[in-house]
Amino acid sequence: MRFRLTDDQKALRAGMRELLGRCFGREALRAAVDAPGRLDRALWRTLGEAGFFALRLPEADGGVGLGLPEAVLVFEEAGRALLPGPLVATHLAAASVPGAARGETVVAAVDGELVEWLDAAGAVRGDASGAVPLRSVDPLTPLHRVPAAGPPDPVAVLLTAAEQLGTAGRVCELAVQHARRREQFGRPIGSFQAVQHLCADLLVRAETARVAVYAAAVTADPADIAAARLLADEAAVQGARDCLQVHGGMGFTWEADVHLHLKRAWVRARRAGGSTQGAELLAAALAD
Amino acid sequence: MDLSCTPEEEEFRARLRDWLGKVLPTLPAQPSPDDWPGRRAYDLGWQRMLYDAGYADVHWDASPTRRLIYLEETEKAGAPYVGANFVGLLHAGPTIAAEGSAEQRARWLPPILRGEQVWCQGFSEPDAGSDLASLRTRARRDGDVYVVTGSKIWTSHAEVADWCELLVRTDPDAPRHRGITWLALPMDAEGVTVRPLRTLAGSAEFAEVFLDEVRVPVANRVGEENDGWRVTMVTLSFERGTAFVGEVVACRRVLTGLARTARDNGRWDDPALRRRLGRLDAEFRALWRLTQWNVSAAEESGGVPGVGGSVFKLRYSHARQELYDTAAEVLGPDCLDLDRPWVLDRLSSLSYTIAAGTSQIQRTIVAERILGLPRGR
Ligand SMILES: Cc1cc2nc3c(=O)[nH]c(=O)nc-3n(C[C@H](O)[C@H](O)[C@H](O)COP(=O)(O)OP(=O)(O)OC[C@H]3O[C@@H](n4cnc5c(N)ncnc54)[C@H](O)[C@@H]3O)c2cc1C
């Protein structure tokens, strides 16, 4: 047993972070917020060229030939960067929908009772008939409501957990950065224990979610995946809230990015396989 | 990332499982929780059996993966826990292995491994708990002995211990962290008095220890004089980093028991309770992964567990309390009956967010040492 990232995995993660920093930095993020509902197709194709969607397709089929652990690492980076779009749905459609692997076709999917990015999609997985638009709380994720859908796909559940993990790690960093910089009473607020302890809890939740998500990617076991999702949802949602608290009044502004992380975490938490379903799945296994 | 075991490790697992299957049915009945001499004899006896079978050092010398396999298999088989050997095997021994001289290692480690010595931890004092560096127990140098006077408190297993890892102040004029020394104190030395303290669970789990002009040879000092704080950090990193690991496996077994009980007594129909149990399962799965992660990280960086132990300790201590609070919900009114399973465990779980450094102290460690936030005052 050696439960650490390999050098190749570290390189993959660093490469993805670098790519997203270049193609979807803070300015691009805020520009996207100012133009809601528009998916940047050039960025989508760039992701396709980088192998984001074809990551798990065999090399013989033009894919990258990697596995779930690697997919989890790149989705974590996507989550960190708040990358918009139906990333999970398109990744999962790479083998079956023409153009999805290369990022030419945007694929939406019915997930739980919602569909993300329905109007931008060139293909839809699942039955989206009767979809009704709603005014999405997340400025970067247009949503439609649909009648309840079938059982969740474990890989979709896991990749969602990975995105949530990205948010959890990012909001911890943002809180710590702010706590170091912002001064009150003549000292950085990070020297106040009440603030230190909020930050410590942010880290503990993120790290607990991290090992759960990585291990589930290695075992691909449905119960491990359910557990990972449960902890990652909690780490993202509660983490974003605590990050907002550390930011004080500034955290409550549209200007600060904290609300974008929180809103996206809420959207992802509603996808199928979230905490209620996950807890029921684990409980049923326990009582067996 | 690799969670699999090598063929040699799988062979170790099979051999261990086989051995456990043979010896566990031959063990005498567990002594009652109040019978400390009985518990001492039982726990040392178990350690002796492990020694004879070649598993004695599994907590330290073996590969980390083998250690985890050992914990999984012994727990699954319902083997005894380290019990009174907790301090010796899980942190005093490892500290001596890491910081002691060759002579000291030869003197203390084999008897710990053979199940001949129980150790206790004399760190805390009435006025030095979280603020451990304010300890006042004084050691005056007199030739080749230290003359020690003071008192310790909450010393687990002191009643039945042979040795104590003792922190003393050797230089009262130095800055607080600089004047401390780590000594091995023989508990039968003249001037040592142990007064058992009753815990809220009713048993005399820990004790007060009074030290009156106790003469401790300088040869019993681990590390340099006045360098005891650094040695203490090594001890605490073992205590927080690895000492609770075996219990995580045990918690998942408790959880399964709770789920079955709830199914039998009808509480299972309550979705809130069911989900709480499912949530706890997620929690303990992740805590086991955190263990594997921390152990792999320690292996990578050469042995002593890092501050990641604080992350584990913090999360684990709260999860354990939540587990037994959930047990109370499953039990209903029986949760007030001390003869019911889990009720005593619920009481003892209350100590987990206090002992080995409180949750507040762990959070400060995480904030300052992992996240690099400015030091508080
Ligand atoms: C079951 C059990 C077994 C034990 N076994 C041993 C043993 O074998 N050997 C040994 O040496 N010790 C042992 N201890 C002692 C244990 O290490 C101390 O109880 C613990 O470190 C806390 O110290 P304290 O009790 O003095 O509490 P205090 O330090 O007085 O703390 C009281 C409260 O104040 C908070 N607090 C204190 N300082 C701060 C701060 N700077 N910031 C925020 N909050 C703070 C604490 O978190 C706590 O909530 C044991 C304790 C228990 C409960």
Side-chain angles (χ1 to χ4, degrees), chain B residues 21-320:
Chain B
K22 278 199 215 102
V23 300
L24 292 184
T26 71
L27 286 184
Q30 290 259 7
S32 92
D34 292 334
D35 174 12
W36 272 95
R39 284 172 72 179
R40 175 192 152 100
Y42 186 90
D43 295 343
L44 286 176
W46 170 241
Q47 179 60 25
R48 179 71 206 197
M49 290 175 79
L50 287 169
Y51 179 84
D52 289 339
Y55 297 115
D57 64 346
V58 76
H59 293 293
W60 336 334
D61 286 348
S63 84
T65 307
R66 289 231 299 262
R67 190 182 337 149
L68 297 180
I69 291 173
Y70 171 84
L71 291 169
E72 271 178 333
E73 292 302 322
T74 46
E75 188 44 51
K76 268 192 218 145
Y81 187 54
V82 281
N85 292 315
F86 184 87
V87 172
L89 282 172
L90 300 182
H91 50 87
T95 303
I96 293 167
E99 295 291 331
S101 63
E103 227 180 330
Q104 291 173 330
R105 294 201 296 271
R107 177 174 174 202
W108 285 310
L109 302 187
I112 292 176
L113 293 179
R114 284 195 302 261
E116 291 163 8
Q117 288 179 356
V118 167
W119 282 64
C120 64
Q121 181 190 46
F123 284 11
S124 306
E125 296 182 6
D127 292 323
S130 300
D131 185 14
L132 185 55
S134 69
L135 64 93
R136 285 206 294 257
T137 292
R138 178 86 177 87
R140 177 169 46 82
R141 182 81 176 252
D142 179 12
D144 56 3
V145 298
Y146 289 106
V147 183
V148 181
T149 298
S151 69
K152 295 286 169 179
I153 195 168
W154 305 303
T155 316
S156 303
H157 316 145
E159 238 190 305
V160 293
D162 306 287
W163 290 89
C164 177
E165 46 175 19
L166 184 75
L167 293 187
V168 295
R169 185 161 298 286
T170 29
D171 182 354
D173 301 324
R176 288 166 3 117
H177 297 85
R178 300 271 166 72
I180 293 172
T181 298
W182 200 107
L183 298 180
L185 163 81
M187 291 296 282
D188 60 0
E190 201 171 321
V192 179
T193 310
V194 176
R195 188 199 295 161
L197 266 174
R198 197 153 179 233
T199 73
L200 58 71
S203 67
E205 190 87 24
F206 49 29
E208 286 176 284
V209 178
F210 300 94
L211 304 158
D212 180 17
E213 301 269 310
V214 182
R215 298 177 73 80
V216 183
V218 171
N220 289 16
R221 186 186 71 213
V222 174
E224 294 305 310
E225 184 169 296
N226 298 327
D227 190 30
W229 187 254
R230 194 188 54 76
V231 184
T232 303
M233 290 304 111
V234 173
T235 309
L236 293 182
S237 75
F238 283 113
E239 186 175 10
R240 290 163 189 168
T242 43
F244 296 104
V245 164
E247 301 182 9
V248 172
V249 193
C251 286
R252 284 202 68 209
R253 197 162 46 95
V254 170
L255 202 51
T256 315
L258 286 179
R260 303 221 166 111
T261 306
R263 207 186 39 196
D264 295 343
N265 73 9
R267 297 286 286 126
W268 191 250
D269 297 335
D270 173 0
L273 178 77
R274 232 170 32 227
R275 287 168 199 164
R276 208 168 150 183
L277 289 167
R279 222 205 144 281
L280 277 165
D281 185 55
E283 193 76 33
F284 286 107
R285 275 171 196 268
L287 282 161
W288 180 248
R289 299 308 186 190
L290 200 49
T291 296
Q292 293 178 319
W293 185 263
N294 284 345
V295 163
S296 296
E299 190 181 27
E300 203 171 67
S301 66
V304 176
V307 273
S310 286
V311 173
F312 176 84
K313 159 78 164 73
L314 196 44
R315 186 89 183 196
Y316 172 63
S317 55
H318 290 273
R320 189 180 173 99

Side-chain angles (χ1 to χ4, degrees), chain A residues 122-177:
Chain A
V124 183
R125 300 181 88 207
D127 181 9
S129 51
V132 184
L134 48 90
R135 211 156 67 81
S136 174
V137 66
D138 176 9
L140 289 173
T141 312
L143 291 171
H144 281 73
R145 247 201 108 145
V146 287
D153 170 349
V155 176
V157 176
L158 177 65
L159 295 179
T160 294
E163 288 184 280
Q164 295 287 55
L165 172 61
T167 292
R170 182 67 186 142
V171 292
C172 180
E173 276 172 24
L174 289 173
V176 169
Q177 274 168 20

Side-chain angles (χ1 to χ4, degrees), chain A residues 1-4 9 180 187 191 193 196-197 200-201 215 223-224 230-231 234 276 280 282-283 287-288, chain B residues 1-2 4 260 263 268 274-275 278-279 281 285-286 289 293 296 360 363-364 368 371-372 374 376-377:
Chain A
M1 182 210 68
R2 191 172 181 76
F3 191 25
R4 308 292 291 164
Q9 288 168 339
R180 285 211 187 110
R187 299 153 59 175
S191 69
Q193 200 171 63
Q196 289 191 337
H197 288 192
D201 284 340
D224 278 343
L230 212 150
L231 296 172
E234 176 201 69
T276 307
E280 289 283 5
L282 292 168
D288 257 356
Chain B
M1 288 183 284
D2 183 7
S4 62
R260 303 221 166 111
R263 207 186 39 196
W268 191 250
R274 232 170 32 227
R275 287 168 199 164
R279 222 205 144 281
D281 185 55
R285 275 171 196 268
R289 299 308 186 190
W293 185 263
S296 296
Q360 287 67 39
R363 285 194 182 94
T364 301
E368 293 180 359
L371 296 175
R377 266 175 289 167

